[in-house]
Amino acid sequence: MNKPKVLFPYVEAGMGHIAPMRAIAHKFKELYGDRVECIESKFFGDSGNDTLIAFENKMCQSVVDTNRNHRLGFFMTFTMLLFGAKIATPASSCCLQFGTKKPAVAHMEEIAPDMVVSTHWSTNYFAKNSPCAPLTVLYCPDAYTYPLFNYPCDLALLPTRTGYEQAIKKYKRRFNEDNLKHVPALIRDDAFAVSTDKKALRLKLGLNADKFTVLLAEGGYGIGKMTKICKEILQRDLNVTLIPVCGKNKELFNEMSKWESGKNCEFRPLGFADNLPEYLSASDLFCGKSGANVLLEACFFGVPQIVTNNATHIEKMNCKYYVKDIKTALKIFSADKVADKIEEFANYPERLTPFKAAAQAQRENYGAEKAANLTFELLCTRFPELKN
């Protein structure tokens, strides 16, 4: 007999959807790859279809645009909340790139999966509208679910307990205890192997082992208040190691690479780094916008956070989760005041202790095994022979 096909489609719309996909795809393959055909695909980019490639490019551009213009970001997410999942989801697809649905559904038919596991709303939407009718699993990487992730699927997964409880209470006609599950946050197994010995990591990375270390990131495209914060800290020449992550923003990285460290401030800009978890684990403090994945990873490594930016209602809710619900972060939107707080923490690192303890307490809520097991259980409802 042919093995059932399980599709894990990678979607770039910011980097926060790719990391959790890698985690569940690799764990599922490790646990069940002998019984199931696992297909990892850059769904839009690998299609060879110009419309689908344009759709993904426009999703990336939308992330850039909303980070540059927060009014646009909040307007877009407000309309999602206003119209709800069944209107907002096809409308979002159409507005990003007219005519996407037909080739996307056709591409889904070409792959002919028996199940589609998504960490982005778009592939779930196209799978649910495909005549091949695959089972669908949708993981929301944010703290709280929202309309695009409320679109019908066979199994919805959410990584926060407070988000899960809110969804069960708020969206009673959509979610119940059978079709929505709280799971540990999706992170790859190799994250558990990253050292938490900050001094050893700093020596490995060529950093000052004893200097207070701050990592800054504004999503995968380096757009936000990071530049202003770095200029302020360099001007003050604070006694810190400052690591801005420019991601795919090569222009910003090239610009920052020309800046010189001060007498006291060690300035180490990064481009797109595969070993970002090591830099994060080596840090004493993270500063950046409230994208889901980077705050999640900061907590995993026990690193407190300063949220410097909210570009959408979704990010505002993420900020609320980390600042008020689990108390691992502060919210400071002024670049000058962020620099003040970094200076304070560098001089009095013990003031970070409650935030650090709160972050370390989240460590047990990580790992892809439960999500992989729930996914397999759903697949077995259609292919019961897999249990044998």
Side-chain angles (χ1 to χ4, degrees), residues 305 320-330 354-359:
Q305 311 102 45
K320 171 189 174 296
Y321 176 75
Y322 288 94
V323 173
K324 294 185 177 181
D325 293 354
I326 61 173
K327 297 179 173 59
T328 65
L330 293 170
F355 301 99
K356 188 183 298 185

Side-chain angles (χ1 to χ4, degrees), residues 67 79 90 134 136 147 153-154 168 271 291 306 319 386:
N67 277 280
T79 58
T136 54
C153 63
D154 296 297
I168 289 289
I306 296 178
C319 178
L386 292 175

Side-chain angles (χ1 to χ4, degrees), residues 145-387:
T145 188
Y146 55 96
L148 296 183
F149 279 84
N150 293 348
Y151 194 81
C153 63
D154 296 297
L155 177 63
L157 305 174
L158 198 58
T160 68
R161 172 60 64 179
T162 51
Y164 170 81
E165 291 172 353
Q166 185 198 69
I168 289 289
K169 183 177 179 180
K170 186 176 181 179
Y171 303 107
K172 292 182 179 179
R173 291 194 297 176
R174 168 65 184 92
F175 294 121
N176 56 55
E177 294 180 357
D178 294 324
N179 63 21
L180 176 66
K181 300 291 185 180
H182 169 241
V183 297
L186 296 185
I187 196 165
R188 284 177 58 176
D189 283 350
D190 51 13
F192 290 91
V194 174
S195 172
T196 55
D197 184 332
K198 294 187 184 299
K199 287 192 175 184
L201 270 178
R202 290 171 189 171
L203 289 172
K204 176 183 177 181
L205 297 169
L207 306 173
N208 187 312
D210 300 310
K211 199 181 287 284
F212 188 86
T213 303
V214 183
L215 185 80
L216 304 96
E218 296 282 359
Y221 309 109
I223 298 170
K225 296 178 182 176
M226 185 172 70
T227 301
K228 289 182 180 179
I229 295 168
C230 288
K231 285 181 177 179
E232 182 65 26
I233 291 173
L234 283 168
Q235 184 177 346
R236 299 185 192 187
D237 194 23
L238 299 184
N239 187 28
V240 300
T241 298
L242 198 60
I243 309 173
V245 181
C246 302
K248 292 191 173 184
N249 192 334
K250 294 181 181 179
E251 183 179 346
L252 179 62
F253 176 70
N254 291 336
E255 177 189 345
M256 285 189 165
S257 296
K258 298 174 185 176
W259 300 359
E260 295 182 0
S261 296
K263 181 180 178 180
N264 298 306
C265 182
E266 180 182 357
F267 187 63
R268 290 285 300 272
L270 283 179
F272 189 82
D274 290 330
N275 62 337
L276 187 60
E278 289 187 326
Y279 280 95
L280 193 51
S281 184
S283 300
D284 295 295
L285 181 67
F286 168 80
C287 298
K289 80 184 189 83
S290 50
N293 198 63
V294 70
L295 290 178
L296 179 151
E297 289 189 349
C299 272
F300 177 78
F301 291 113
V303 178
Q305 311 102 45
I306 296 178
V307 176
T308 61
N309 214 354
N310 292 333
T312 64
H313 179 77
I314 301 161
E315 292 185 358
K316 182 179 179 180
M317 296 303 292
N318 286 337
C319 178
K320 171 189 174 296
Y321 176 75
Y322 288 94
V323 173
K324 294 185 177 181
D325 293 354
I326 61 173
K327 297 179 173 59
T328 65
L330 293 170
K331 181 180 75 172
I332 307 175
F333 286 179
S334 162
D336 289 349
K337 291 181 179 180
V338 170
D340 290 342
K341 188 58 70 172
I342 289 173
E343 184 173 14
E344 176 190 339
F345 286 145
N347 291 331
Y348 305 98
E350 67 276 5
R351 295 180 183 177
L352 272 175
T353 299
F355 301 99
K356 188 183 298 185
Q360 290 171 340
Q362 297 298 312
R363 179 101 176 184
E364 63 183 23
N365 187 38
Y366 286 84
E369 186 168 353
K370 182 177 179 180
N373 289 338
L374 288 170
T375 298
F376 183 71
E377 288 175 15
L378 176 63
L379 186 64
C380 289
T381 62
R382 185 172 290 183
F383 300 94
E385 67 274 11
L386 292 175
K387 291 182 178 181

Side-chain angles (χ1 to χ4, degrees), residues 109-124:
E109 286 290 287
E110 291 173 357
I111 301 172
D114 297 290
M115 171 180 275
V116 178
V117 181
S118 298
T119 58
H120 190 268
W121 61 267
S122 62
T123 48
N124 176 70

